[in-house]
Amino acid sequence: MTVRELDAAGIEDPALRAAYTRCRGLNAQHGKTYFLATRLLPVDRRPAVHALYGFARWADDIVDDLDSTATPEERARALVELESQLESGLRHGRSAEPVIRALADTADRYGIESRHFTDFLASMRSDLTVGGYASYEELGRYMHGSAAVIGLQMLPVLGTVGPREEAAGHAAALGVAFQLTNFLRDVGEDLDRGRLYLPTDLLAAHGVDRDRFEWSRSTGRRDGRITDVLRAAGNHNRTVYRDALPGIAMLAPVSRPCIRTAFVLYSGILDAIEADGYAVLHRRAVVPRRRRAAVALDGLARVLTARAVARLREGPAAAGRISAAARPAVTGTARAVRKEAV
């Protein structure tokens, strides 16, 4: 599958192909929900998504890897080194570091603004020293770099049916919605890292504080007021998903099934959290595998419809050619979806 993706994208240099393959492996290992959705993209666009995700995952691991024995100072130095490699890679279009090399190639191919990457690293640096946020407004400034820019990086790869600027706000909102869901699902793990992404004023409105969250995490005991905080955070998250939703229709038709699938799967995590009684301080909520498979199969059906429409527009001569070329992609995606149901 990797070879076919690289061939379709016109990536021929062996070292560059290896760099993209490295990024694809990071996506498959760490982002199972998003990786499955990525399989619904046109084959030639997948390497770029892998490069963008691979870079984000690599930087995030420097900051957050609980298995690492690195000190905060060592993590900070690693981020400084990463930023130096990024600046050089984007300037020269090459790097000895595979993830940076693939990212630089993707940024060049799709005209992705370098400020989106530097804003992302600025938020990653703040995670080393900032352990909480006073309000959603303050948290939003952090999430511009940690999440909104991810949506903005993706937009040129996905394509739009109108001016990109009109879709940008929705793309940024979707990145934020995904991250808010991650914050809610991972609240216990983030506490273990010394961070709480639920705003202090939200906690205060329900009569609890950070110490109470840490008590619940360490003792395994529940508190109804904490449940109220988590429910309110979930409701806020859903409003951001509603803000992001109109942007899907603004994407290129062949990209919509991928993003719609990611939208449904990630928002489904909120459903799983609610169904589990907001017990996220004590266990991670997950979307059942059969549900994931059903959503992905629906996405696959939408892909086939979008491709059929595209073939009709290109005419009978193109129809046979595109159909034959698409068959391996459909077969591979269907196989991946079946694995989800096992």
Side-chain angles (χ1 to χ4, degrees), residues 62-148:
I62 290 175
V63 174
D64 278 346
D65 186 1
L66 287 173
D67 294 328
S68 173
T69 58
T71 65
E73 293 74 19
E74 290 170 334
R75 293 176 192 264
R77 286 196 294 271
L79 280 180
V80 169
E81 175 61 23
L82 175 58
E83 186 162 22
S84 175
Q85 291 177 320
L86 172 67
E87 291 175 355
S88 177
L90 292 175
R91 185 183 308 115
H92 301 294
R94 60 182 184 275
S95 174
E97 170 51 55
V99 174
I100 296 293
R101 181 164 188 166
L103 182 75
D105 183 70
T106 288
D108 180 64
R109 285 171 183 261
Y110 289 95
I112 301 172
E113 297 181 54
S114 61
R115 64 188 175 94
H116 295 326
F117 304 114
T118 54
D119 286 351
F120 174 76
L121 287 182
S123 287
M124 293 300 98
R125 283 197 302 274
S126 74
D127 272 336
L128 295 176
T129 57
V130 179
Y133 296 88
S135 64
Y136 272 120
E137 181 180 4
E138 186 175 295
L139 180 63
R141 289 193 287 272
Y142 163 80
M143 287 194 296
H144 165 75
S146 64

XYZ file of all heavy atoms in Angstrom, residues 62-148:
671
model
N 7.877 14.235 22.210
C 8.974 14.866 22.948
C 8.454 15.447 24.253
O 9.073 15.338 25.313
C 9.638 15.973 22.099
C 10.417 15.355 20.928
C 10.579 16.830 22.959
C 10.992 16.379 19.973
N 7.267 16.038 24.188
C 6.692 16.703 25.351
C 5.988 15.732 26.290
O 6.100 15.844 27.515
C 5.698 17.797 24.881
C 4.971 18.414 26.071
C 6.422 18.865 24.082
N 5.275 14.753 25.726
C 4.302 14.001 26.509
C 4.614 12.538 26.789
O 3.871 11.909 27.539
C 2.936 14.037 25.798
C 2.193 15.325 26.098
O 2.595 16.040 27.018
O 1.211 15.613 25.382
N 5.643 11.968 26.218
C 5.883 10.535 26.368
C 6.102 10.179 27.837
O 7.132 10.516 28.429
C 7.097 10.123 25.527
C 7.321 8.612 25.527
O 6.522 7.888 26.157
O 8.279 8.157 24.887
N 5.121 9.495 28.417
C 5.218 9.131 29.830
C 6.278 8.066 30.088
O 6.737 7.905 31.222
C 3.855 8.630 30.336
C 2.764 9.690 30.525
C 1.435 9.022 30.860
C 3.151 10.687 31.612
N 6.657 7.325 29.063
C 7.660 6.281 29.238
C 9.080 6.835 29.184
O 10.034 6.133 29.516
C 7.498 5.212 28.151
C 6.191 4.444 28.285
O 5.725 4.277 29.438
O 5.638 4.028 27.258
N 9.217 8.075 28.776
C 10.545 8.687 28.680
C 11.028 9.134 30.057
O 10.246 9.605 30.889
C 10.507 9.878 27.719
O 11.740 10.579 27.743
N 12.331 9.000 30.297
C 12.931 9.473 31.543
C 13.547 10.860 31.376
O 14.203 11.360 32.292
C 14.020 8.494 32.014
O 15.028 8.366 30.985
C 13.416 7.125 32.312
N 13.327 11.506 30.233
C 13.913 12.818 29.965
C 13.384 13.863 30.937
O 12.191 13.871 31.284
C 13.613 13.244 28.532
N 14.247 14.742 31.384
C 13.856 15.834 32.268
C 13.194 16.939 31.446
O 13.329 16.983 30.220
C 15.085 16.416 32.977
O 15.937 17.020 31.998
C 15.847 15.322 33.723
N 12.475 17.852 32.105
C 11.900 18.983 31.362
C 12.953 19.778 30.589
O 12.686 20.247 29.478
C 11.247 19.826 32.473
C 10.900 18.831 33.537
C 12.016 17.826 33.510
N 14.117 19.911 31.173
C 15.179 20.645 30.491
C 15.629 19.918 29.222
O 15.866 20.530 28.173
C 16.384 20.842 31.418
C 16.128 21.769 32.606
C 15.274 21.116 33.694
O 15.175 19.850 33.703
O 14.719 21.848 34.530
N 15.729 18.580 29.320
C 16.115 17.792 28.143
C 15.029 17.830 27.070
O 15.326 17.904 25.872
C 16.399 16.353 28.567
C 17.667 16.200 29.395
C 17.806 14.821 30.015
O 16.768 14.146 30.239
O 18.959 14.399 30.285
N 13.785 17.824 27.488
C 12.691 17.924 26.523
C 12.713 19.291 25.840
O 12.473 19.399 24.637
C 11.348 17.696 27.228
C 11.150 16.275 27.749
C 9.836 16.171 28.528
N 9.718 14.922 29.273
C 9.084 13.838 28.839
N 8.506 13.847 27.658
N 9.014 12.749 29.582
N 12.980 20.342 26.624
C 13.054 21.688 26.048
C 14.172 21.777 25.020
O 13.997 22.378 23.945
C 13.262 22.722 27.155
N 15.324 21.182 25.329
C 16.445 21.206 24.366
C 16.083 20.427 23.109
O 16.450 20.819 21.987
C 17.708 20.629 25.012
C 18.359 21.563 26.017
C 19.778 21.133 26.335
N 19.828 19.860 27.023
C 19.769 19.720 28.345
N 19.630 20.793 29.114
N 19.848 18.533 28.905
N 15.355 19.322 23.275
C 14.944 18.528 22.116
C 14.001 19.328 21.223
O 14.071 19.248 19.993
C 14.287 17.230 22.569
N 13.114 20.121 21.823
C 12.211 20.957 21.027
C 12.973 22.062 20.309
O 12.656 22.398 19.160
C 11.130 21.568 21.916
C 9.941 20.680 22.278
C 8.974 21.440 23.171
C 9.221 20.196 21.024
N 13.958 22.642 20.977
C 14.790 23.664 20.325
C 15.512 23.070 19.118
O 15.572 23.680 18.043
C 15.802 24.264 21.322
C 16.829 25.128 20.596
C 15.078 25.087 22.384
N 16.038 21.876 19.275
C 16.719 21.197 18.167
C 15.740 20.894 17.044
O 16.053 21.065 15.856
C 17.372 19.917 18.666
C 18.012 19.056 17.572
C 19.127 19.752 16.825
O 19.725 20.703 17.379
O 19.400 19.354 15.660
N 14.554 20.455 17.401
C 13.544 20.165 16.392
C 13.173 21.429 15.620
O 13.046 21.400 14.389
C 12.297 19.577 17.061
C 11.088 19.314 16.154
C 11.456 18.358 15.028
C 9.925 18.763 16.960
N 13.023 22.552 16.328
C 12.668 23.799 15.646
C 13.790 24.242 14.714
O 13.529 24.751 13.619
C 12.371 24.894 16.665
C 11.863 26.169 16.012
C 11.152 27.085 17.000
O 11.394 26.954 18.216
O 10.352 27.922 16.554
N 15.027 24.047 15.137
C 16.161 24.386 14.277
C 16.160 23.531 13.013
O 16.368 24.036 11.896
C 17.475 24.192 15.046
O 18.585 24.412 14.202
N 15.913 22.234 13.181
C 15.832 21.343 12.018
C 14.671 21.725 11.111
O 14.775 21.667 9.882
C 15.677 19.900 12.486
C 16.897 19.317 13.170
C 16.646 17.901 13.672
O 15.573 17.593 14.179
N 17.635 17.034 13.533
N 13.557 22.123 11.723
C 12.390 22.523 10.939
C 12.700 23.758 10.100
O 12.409 23.790 8.900
C 11.214 22.806 11.876
C 9.973 23.423 11.229
C 9.335 22.427 10.282
C 8.986 23.880 12.291
N 13.268 24.777 10.717
C 13.568 26.012 9.998
C 14.511 25.741 8.834
O 14.302 26.239 7.721
C 14.188 27.033 10.952
C 13.206 27.569 11.993
C 13.872 28.487 12.996
O 15.113 28.632 12.930
O 13.161 29.060 13.854
N 15.532 24.939 9.074
C 16.479 24.608 8.012
C 15.813 23.788 6.921
O 16.018 24.028 5.722
C 17.670 23.839 8.599
O 18.570 23.453 7.580
N 15.004 22.806 7.323
C 14.342 21.952 6.343
C 13.386 22.717 5.461
O 13.333 22.514 4.240
N 12.605 23.625 6.052
C 11.662 24.413 5.271
C 12.386 25.392 4.355
O 11.924 25.686 3.245
C 10.708 25.174 6.191
C 9.720 24.318 6.997
C 8.919 25.193 7.946
C 8.782 23.543 6.068
N 13.524 25.894 4.809
C 14.275 26.854 4.000
C 14.955 26.182 2.816
O 14.935 26.693 1.693
C 15.327 27.553 4.861
C 16.087 28.662 4.113
C 17.162 29.287 4.982
N 16.635 29.730 6.264
C 16.986 29.210 7.429
N 17.860 28.197 7.462
N 16.471 29.655 8.544
N 15.548 25.008 3.062
C 16.344 24.360 2.023
C 15.618 23.223 1.312
O 16.100 22.719 0.285
C 17.647 23.831 2.627
C 18.497 24.894 3.267
N 19.093 25.911 2.544
C 18.813 25.107 4.578
C 19.772 26.701 3.382
N 19.611 26.233 4.613
N 14.474 22.788 1.879
C 13.722 21.716 1.251
C 14.311 20.341 1.458
O 13.948 19.395 0.756
N 15.194 20.197 2.415
C 15.803 18.891 2.682
C 16.248 18.840 4.139
O 16.407 19.860 4.806
C 16.994 18.643 1.758
C 18.101 19.658 1.899
C 19.244 19.392 0.918
N 20.344 20.326 1.120
C 20.409 21.529 0.578
N 19.428 21.956 -0.204
N 21.435 22.324 0.809
N 16.465 17.622 4.633
C 16.914 17.436 6.005
C 17.409 16.010 6.166
O 16.930 15.090 5.496
C 15.761 17.710 6.982
O 16.145 17.412 8.317
N 18.358 15.833 7.075
C 18.840 14.489 7.378
C 17.822 13.738 8.228
O 17.845 12.507 8.279
C 20.185 14.564 8.109
N 16.929 14.459 8.869
C 15.894 13.844 9.692
C 14.700 13.497 8.806
O 14.098 14.369 8.180
C 15.468 14.812 10.802
C 14.239 14.396 11.572
C 14.305 12.977 12.091
O 15.280 12.644 12.802
O 13.366 12.213 11.788
N 14.328 12.215 8.715
C 13.274 11.805 7.774
C 11.955 12.543 7.930
O 11.341 12.942 6.941
C 13.124 10.306 8.069
C 14.443 9.885 8.610
C 14.939 11.053 9.402
N 11.482 12.723 9.170
C 10.181 13.367 9.368
C 10.215 14.803 8.857
O 9.264 15.275 8.202
C 9.768 13.319 10.855
C 8.484 14.109 11.082
C 9.578 11.875 11.302
N 11.297 15.512 9.117
C 11.428 16.889 8.635
C 11.526 16.910 7.115
O 10.944 17.778 6.452
C 12.664 17.565 9.251
C 12.503 17.684 10.770
C 12.884 18.936 8.624
C 11.415 18.633 11.211
N 12.227 15.963 6.559
C 12.353 15.924 5.099
C 10.996 15.746 4.432
O 10.669 16.421 3.460
C 13.296 14.796 4.683
C 13.484 14.711 3.176
C 14.678 13.875 2.790
N 14.935 13.960 1.354
C 16.040 13.561 0.762
N 17.032 13.076 1.491
N 16.188 13.662 -0.543
N 10.198 14.816 4.938
C 8.860 14.603 4.372
C 7.982 15.831 4.577
O 7.232 16.233 3.675
C 8.223 13.369 5.008
N 8.068 16.452 5.750
C 7.262 17.631 6.027
C 7.633 18.777 5.086
O 6.743 19.461 4.544
C 7.461 18.068 7.473
C 6.615 19.279 7.890
C 5.170 18.877 8.083
C 7.170 19.911 9.160
N 8.927 19.009 4.904
C 9.372 20.091 4.021
C 8.890 19.866 2.593
O 8.471 20.799 1.903
C 10.899 20.201 4.056
N 8.931 18.614 2.145
C 8.456 18.297 0.797
C 6.959 18.564 0.677
O 6.491 19.145 -0.313
C 8.772 16.846 0.458
C 8.372 16.474 -0.958
O 9.026 16.969 -1.904
O 7.406 15.709 -1.124
N 6.201 18.155 1.681
C 4.752 18.384 1.672
C 4.435 19.876 1.694
O 3.558 20.349 0.958
C 4.099 17.684 2.875
O 4.113 16.275 2.656
C 2.667 18.133 3.076
N 5.118 20.633 2.558
C 4.884 22.076 2.638
C 5.144 22.744 1.299
O 4.402 23.650 0.883
C 5.761 22.686 3.729
N 6.188 22.292 0.602
C 6.517 22.866 -0.706
C 5.476 22.477 -1.757
O 5.033 23.317 -2.550
C 7.904 22.400 -1.137
C 8.315 22.972 -2.491
O 8.448 24.204 -2.589
O 8.484 22.183 -3.442
N 5.080 21.229 -1.773
C 4.123 20.751 -2.777
C 2.772 21.455 -2.668
O 2.128 21.749 -3.673
C 3.907 19.239 -2.622
C 5.039 18.371 -3.117
C 4.819 16.921 -2.717
N 5.925 16.076 -3.130
C 5.919 15.321 -4.219
N 4.859 15.295 -5.002
N 6.967 14.576 -4.526
N 2.338 21.705 -1.436
C 0.993 22.234 -1.224
C 0.963 23.691 -0.784
O -0.111 24.233 -0.514
C 0.259 21.366 -0.201
C -0.107 20.013 -0.753
C 0.713 18.909 -0.539
C -1.267 19.827 -1.503
C 0.389 17.655 -1.060
C -1.606 18.591 -2.023
C -0.774 17.507 -1.790
O -1.106 16.274 -2.309
N 2.120 24.326 -0.721
C 2.163 25.734 -0.356
C 1.662 26.018 1.048
O 0.969 27.012 1.289
N 2.016 25.159 1.994
C 1.576 25.336 3.382
C 2.481 26.361 4.065
O 3.707 26.263 4.018
C 1.616 23.995 4.139
C 0.715 22.977 3.440
C 1.170 24.189 5.582
C 0.834 21.571 3.992
N 1.877 27.344 4.710
C 2.637 28.423 5.328
C 3.456 27.917 6.508
O 2.946 27.188 7.374
C 1.693 29.526 5.796
C 0.927 30.196 4.660
C 0.028 31.296 5.174
O 0.523 32.197 5.880
O -1.184 31.241 4.884
N 4.711 28.337 6.561
C 5.616 27.859 7.613
C 5.174 28.313 9.001
O 5.471 27.648 10.004
C 7.044 28.339 7.335
O 7.104 29.760 7.319
N 4.442 29.437 9.095
C 4.023 29.922 10.410
C 3.111 28.932 11.131
O 3.058 28.914 12.363
C 3.338 31.276 10.286
C 2.036 31.271 9.491
C 1.531 32.691 9.263
N 0.357 32.709 8.407
C -0.886 32.699 8.850
N -1.107 32.633 10.164
N -1.912 32.741 8.018
N 2.414 28.092 10.359
C 1.559 27.095 11.018
C 2.392 26.090 11.807
O 1.945 25.595 12.849
C 0.716 26.355 9.978
C -0.272 27.226 9.269
N -0.901 28.284 9.888
C -0.742 27.202 7.986
C -1.718 28.875 9.027
N -1.643 28.239 7.880
N 3.585 25.791 11.327
C 4.458 24.852 12.036
C 5.136 25.517 13.229
O 5.271 24.901 14.294
C 5.495 24.271 11.076
C 4.896 23.608 9.871
C 5.084 24.137 8.602
C 4.118 22.469 9.991
C 4.520 23.542 7.492
C 3.540 21.865 8.883
C 3.750 22.404 7.633
N 5.566 26.762 13.067
C 6.210 27.450 14.185
C 5.201 27.753 15.295
O 5.541 27.677 16.483
C 6.896 28.744 13.712
O 5.959 29.567 13.012
C 8.049 28.423 12.770
N 3.959 28.069 14.926
C 2.916 28.270 15.942
C 2.663 26.969 16.709
O 2.425 26.987 17.925
C 1.613 28.731 15.289
C 1.668 30.187 14.835
O 2.641 30.887 15.173
O 0.726 30.614 14.130
N 2.688 25.864 15.995
C 2.487 24.568 16.644
C 3.589 24.306 17.676
O 3.307 23.911 18.821
C 2.478 23.453 15.592
C 2.424 22.071 16.165
C 1.249 21.548 16.679
C 3.562 21.276 16.205
C 1.200 20.269 17.226
C 3.532 19.999 16.746
C 2.343 19.499 17.260
N 4.843 24.538 17.292
C 5.942 24.281 18.224
C 5.898 25.226 19.418
O 6.312 24.847 20.525
C 7.280 24.398 17.493
C 7.606 23.256 16.532
C 8.976 23.457 15.891
C 7.563 21.902 17.249
N 5.405 26.442 19.229
C 5.280 27.372 20.358
C 4.331 26.802 21.407
O 4.591 26.898 22.622
C 4.787 28.727 19.865
N 3.225 26.206 20.971
C 2.304 25.595 21.932
C 2.918 24.368 22.588
O 2.693 24.114 23.775
C 0.990 25.223 21.234
O 0.227 26.380 20.945
N 3.697 23.609 21.821
C 4.366 22.445 22.411
C 5.345 22.886 23.506
O 5.429 22.260 24.566
C 5.118 21.656 21.325
C 4.225 20.969 20.300
S 3.068 19.747 21.014
C 1.558 20.764 21.117
N 6.048 23.988 23.279
C 6.972 24.487 24.295
C 6.225 24.900 25.567
O 6.705 24.677 26.681
C 7.779 25.671 23.757
C 8.906 25.294 22.827
C 9.887 26.445 22.663
N 9.215 27.638 22.151
C 9.005 27.891 20.860
N 9.423 27.014 19.951
N 8.398 28.985 20.470
N 5.057 25.498 25.394
C 4.323 25.955 26.572
C 3.884 24.777 27.446
O 3.727 24.926 28.667
C 3.108 26.790 26.159
O 2.070 25.988 25.630
N 3.699 23.607 26.850
C 3.307 22.432 27.634
C 4.372 22.038 28.648
O 4.066 21.326 29.611
C 3.019 21.250 26.703
C 1.574 21.224 26.217
O 0.707 21.799 26.903
O 1.316 20.638 25.157
N 5.593 22.470 28.436
C 6.664 22.122 29.366
C 6.629 22.971 30.627
O 7.222 22.605 31.643
C 8.026 22.280 28.674
C 8.296 21.340 27.498
C 9.637 21.669 26.849
C 8.269 19.882 27.956
N 5.932 24.104 30.584
C 5.942 25.008 31.737
C 4.546 25.407 32.219
O 4.406 25.862 33.354
C 6.708 26.303 31.388
O 6.122 26.925 30.232
C 8.178 25.991 31.104
N 3.532 25.246 31.384
C 2.179 25.671 31.742
C 1.344 24.435 32.071
O 1.232 23.519 31.253
C 1.516 26.461 30.599
C 0.086 26.865 30.980
C 2.343 27.702 30.260
N 0.764 24.423 33.256
C 0.009 23.249 33.697
C -1.488 23.437 33.760
O -2.220 22.502 34.089
N -1.969 24.646 33.437
C -3.400 24.885 33.497
C -3.764 26.212 32.858
O -2.890 27.028 32.546
N -5.063 26.441 32.676
C -5.553 27.634 31.995
C -6.746 28.192 32.759
O -7.600 27.452 33.242
C -5.934 27.302 30.551
C -4.730 26.862 29.751
C -4.344 25.513 29.737
C -3.953 27.779 29.069
C -3.213 25.110 29.044
C -2.816 27.380 28.372
C -2.455 26.055 28.365
O -1.331 25.656 27.681
N -6.799 29.516 32.839
C -7.813 30.165 33.655
C -9.194 30.114 33.015
O -10.201 30.072 33.727
C -7.416 31.621 33.907
N -9.266 30.158 31.686
C -10.549 30.265 30.990
C -10.437 29.627 29.618
O -9.338 29.325 29.137
C -10.934 31.732 30.834
O -9.979 32.393 29.992
N -11.601 29.443 28.964
C -11.574 28.928 27.597
C -10.895 29.911 26.647
O -10.288 29.516 25.649
C -12.993 28.635 27.112
C -13.473 27.241 27.461
C -14.606 27.048 28.250
C -12.793 26.113 27.000
C -15.045 25.774 28.572
C -13.223 24.829 27.321
C -14.346 24.670 28.106
O -14.768 23.406 28.423
N -10.996 31.202 26.954
C -10.307 32.196 26.123
C -8.802 31.989 26.170
O -8.116 32.004 25.138
C -10.663 33.606 26.588
C -10.014 34.700 25.749
C -10.368 36.104 26.226
O -11.066 36.227 27.264
O -9.943 37.074 25.576
N -8.284 31.780 27.363
C -6.844 31.550 27.521
C -6.445 30.217 26.891
O -5.416 30.127 26.203
C -6.484 31.567 29.000
C -4.991 31.492 29.292
C -4.699 31.638 30.772
O -4.958 32.720 31.323
O -4.214 30.645 31.379
N -7.252 29.182 27.104
C -6.983 27.878 26.498
C -7.015 27.982 24.976
O -6.235 27.324 24.281
C -8.010 26.859 26.985
C -7.885 25.431 26.446
C -6.564 24.802 26.881
C -9.067 24.571 26.914
N -7.925 28.820 24.450
C -8.040 28.978 23.006
C -6.774 29.510 22.375
O -6.432 29.136 21.244
N -6.072 30.377 23.081
C -4.807 30.896 22.531
C -3.777 29.779 22.416
O -3.000 29.733 21.460
C -4.293 32.040 23.406
C -5.136 33.302 23.286
C -4.438 34.488 23.913
N -4.433 34.441 25.363
C -5.406 34.936 26.139
N -6.464 35.513 25.578
N -5.329 34.863 27.454
N -3.768 28.900 23.397
C -2.886 27.722 23.310
C -3.311 26.813 22.158
O -2.475 26.349 21.367
C -2.931 26.949 24.629
C -2.412 25.533 24.523
C -1.047 25.270 24.526
C -3.290 24.455 24.402
C -0.563 23.969 24.420
C -2.827 23.153 24.300
C -1.459 22.916 24.300
O -0.993 21.629 24.173
N -4.618 26.567 22.023
C -5.094 25.631 21.017
C -4.981 26.170 19.596
O -5.030 25.389 18.640
C -6.544 25.219 21.312
C -6.668 24.274 22.495
S -8.305 23.483 22.589
C -9.334 24.915 22.858
N -4.816 27.469 19.432
C -4.544 27.962 18.084
C -3.312 27.263 17.522
O -3.314 26.773 16.394
C -4.306 29.480 18.076
C -3.681 29.940 16.787
N -4.400 30.033 15.616
C -2.391 30.270 16.477
C -3.600 30.425 14.646
N -2.377 30.567 15.134
N -2.252 27.195 18.355
C -1.024 26.565 17.880
C -1.049 25.057 17.936
O -0.448 24.393 17.091
N -1.749 24.509 18.927
C -1.701 23.059 19.103
C -2.733 22.315 18.267
O -2.593 21.113 18.040
C -1.917 22.706 20.583
O -3.219 23.090 21.003
N -3.787 23.015 17.808
C -4.877 22.310 17.129
C -5.412 23.033 15.901
O -5.559 22.438 14.839
C -6.018 22.072 18.116
N -5.729 24.329 16.026
C -6.317 25.051 14.893
C -5.394 25.026 13.682
O -5.844 24.845 12.542
C -6.628 26.494 15.296
